[in-house]
């Protein structure tokens, strides 16, 4: 049996603030397989940063264990640190007056990368994140996206087997964000395991195969992305525009077609109808066709459910104390 890249068992962390006991993590258990990208989700204060810091050996757990390829994060610190890359990103942690190559060289030596072959490794890391052309420019001239990619190179220069990645695309424009996602996907293809924390659900949608959700400092769900997407209860949002008499919303709002009711806005001689379609079965197509058969339709737009919508739905359920299906 292959050793999991990350194995967290009954992990807990408490601390005291002004005489009051604070629970940051409580009885968290999950695994990440070798070569797998897992999204770590949760609202602010749910325990994501605490968990990441424990795995990075920056905090000690109060209870339970955490292992990186079988090595305990509290007893095998040197081994765990050699095997783990941590990318917190942002503008901090880089030396602005130094160029990209010198920043990378400095952090490589801190990570224990030997001088032999270092220049080759620097070139390869810069090539991997698309910074070869800017390697000799001062980091203070870099865009935010370029700095984020330099953070990725720093996290990977020691060739870790596990990457802890925190909010990699925050503040990036769409082009830079998509390029950085491509960089992370390429790491997965080389067998690197990634625990990805992000409030941008597009990152999770593009990269992760599973999501782990923390709520109230404990594990709320652990499920494949496909199953997570089904938690919203609908497949897509359909928007129909037409003229004349609008369709009968009572017919379309049948539970066999729509989830959560139907919204019909009528303005002058035109109308717009919006509904969440439960699924794309032959039956639902037929029922929708019947409901729109006697109205004048101008256009139809179909938007597949996005993970941002799903997480909003799931977060509301968790806030109400409801369970989320699919925990492993």
């Amino acid at each position: 049996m292959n050793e999991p890249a990350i194995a967290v068992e009954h992990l807990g962390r408490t601390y005291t603030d002004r005489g009051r006991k604070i629970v940051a993590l409580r009885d968290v258990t999950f695994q990440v397989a070798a070569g797998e990208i897992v999204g770590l989700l949760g609202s602010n204060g749910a325990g994501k940063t605490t968990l990441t810091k424990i795995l990075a050996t920056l905090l000690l757990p109060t209870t339970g264990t955490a292992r990186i390829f079988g090595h305990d994060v509290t007893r095998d610190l040197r081994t765990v640190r050699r095997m783990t890359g941590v990318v917190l990103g942002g503008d901090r942690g880089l030396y602005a007056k130094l160029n990209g190559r010198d920043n990378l060289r400095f952090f490589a030596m801190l990570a224990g990368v030997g001088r032999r072959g270092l220049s080759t490794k620097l070139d390869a890391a810069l090539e991997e994140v698309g910074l070869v052309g800017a390697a000799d420019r001062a980091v203070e001239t870099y865009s935010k996206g370029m700095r984020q990619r330099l953070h990725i190179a720093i996290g990977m220069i020691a060739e870790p087997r596990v990457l802890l990645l925190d909010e990699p695309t925050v503040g990036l424009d769409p082009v830079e964000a998509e390029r950085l996602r491509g960089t992370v996907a390429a790491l997965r293809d080389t067998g690197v395991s990634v625990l990805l924390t992000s409030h941008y659900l597009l990152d999770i949608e593009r990269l992760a195969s599973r999501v782990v959700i923390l709520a109230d400092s404990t594990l709320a769900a652990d499920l494949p992305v496909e199953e997570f997407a089904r938690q919203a209860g609908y497949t897509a949002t359909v928007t129909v525009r037409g003229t004349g008499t609008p369709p009968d919303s009572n017919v379309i709002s049948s539970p066999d077609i729509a989830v959560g009711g139907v919204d019909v806005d009528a303005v002058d001689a035109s109308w717009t109808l919006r509904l969440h379609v439960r699924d794309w079965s032959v039956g639902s197509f037929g029922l929708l066709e019947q409901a729109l058969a006697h109205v004048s339709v101008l256009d139809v737009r179909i938007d597949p459910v996005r993970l941002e919508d799903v997480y909003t739905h799931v977060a509301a359920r968790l806030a109400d104390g409801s369970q989320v299906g699919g925990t492993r």
Side-chain angles (χ1 to χ4, degrees):
M1 181 177 177
N2 293 330
E3 195 79 50
I6 300 173
V8 174
E9 297 180 5
H10 305 294
L11 197 67
R13 167 74 185 188
T14 60
Y15 62 92
T16 302
D17 181 26
R18 299 177 183 178
R20 185 165 61 98
K21 182 180 178 180
I22 306 296
V23 179
L25 281 179
R26 181 176 67 255
D27 196 29
V28 174
T29 298
F30 71 94
Q31 294 185 355
V32 177
E36 184 179 27
I37 297 181
V38 173
L40 179 62
L41 304 179
S43 59
N44 292 333
K48 304 186 301 299
T49 299
T50 299
L51 174 59
T52 300
K53 286 184 176 180
I54 289 174
L55 293 174
T57 73
L58 300 177
L59 278 179
L60 292 174
T62 306
T63 58
T65 61
R67 295 183 174 87
I68 304 295
F69 283 104
H71 298 278
D72 192 284
V73 299
T74 63
R75 294 196 296 266
D76 305 325
L77 269 70
R78 290 187 178 180
T79 301
V80 169
R81 288 173 179 172
R82 282 198 303 269
M83 303 178 84
T84 307
V86 185
V87 179
L88 300 178
D91 292 329
R92 298 180 180 179
L94 299 173
Y95 292 92
K97 298 297 183 183
L98 295 180
N99 63 37
R101 187 185 305 277
D102 287 341
N103 266 273
L104 188 55
R105 178 182 290 108
F106 172 74
F107 286 106
M109 296 179 70
L110 281 184
V113 178
R115 291 181 179 274
R116 179 175 296 178
L118 178 57
S119 293
T120 301
K121 290 183 178 180
L122 294 177
D123 290 340
L126 291 165
E127 176 72 31
E128 182 70 30
V129 298
L131 287 177
V132 171
D136 298 317
R137 282 170 43 192
V139 166
E140 64 184 358
T141 69
Y142 280 18
S143 68
K144 189 173 182 63
M146 294 168 70
R147 295 185 188 207
Q148 290 285 67
R149 283 187 271 135
L150 182 57
H151 276 296
I152 294 283
I154 290 170
M156 291 304 302
I157 189 63
E159 300 179 347
R161 298 173 66 188
V162 171
L163 183 63
L164 306 175
L165 195 55
D166 185 42
E167 301 291 353
T169 62
V170 64
L172 301 189
D173 65 60
V175 174
E176 284 280 18
E178 194 60 29
R179 178 165 186 168
L180 195 138
R181 293 184 194 107
T183 299
V184 176
L187 296 176
R188 173 191 56 203
D189 294 341
T190 65
V192 176
S193 305
V194 181
L195 185 63
L196 168 63
T197 303
S198 181
H199 284 102
Y200 288 86
L201 273 295
L202 187 59
D203 295 343
I204 307 299
E205 191 171 290
R206 290 276 201 273
L207 297 169
S209 60
R210 277 175 42 226
V211 293
V212 169
I213 304 175
L214 298 181
D216 193 25
S217 304
T218 194
L219 184 73
D222 178 357
L223 60 168
V225 168
E226 294 81 3
E227 188 171 345
F228 174 61
R230 290 196 293 269
Q231 298 300 310
Y234 63 93
T235 300
T237 299
V238 176
T239 303
V240 183
R241 291 195 313 113
T243 59
T245 303
D248 187 344
S249 61
N250 291 326
V251 175
I252 298 179
S253 61
S254 164
D256 294 325
I257 304 177
V259 174
V262 173
D263 179 25
V264 179
D265 295 327
V267 179
D268 297 328
S270 64
W271 49 266
T272 301
L273 176 148
R274 297 180 186 85
L275 69 152
H276 296 318
V277 178
R278 184 176 300 281
D279 58 47
W280 283 132
S281 67
V282 173
S284 63
F285 270 120
L287 290 169
L288 188 58
E289 180 185 15
Q290 292 175 26
L292 298 174
H294 303 295
V295 298
S296 177
V297 174
L298 295 176
D299 63 62
V300 178
R301 189 180 77 240
I302 299 173
D303 298 308
V305 63
R306 302 302 300 266
L307 293 193
E308 288 88 346
D309 305 319
V310 178
Y311 184 70
T312 298
H313 175 80
V314 168
R317 289 173 57 187
L318 293 174
D320 290 338
S322 302
Q323 296 294 314
V324 176
T327 53
R328 290 156 57 104

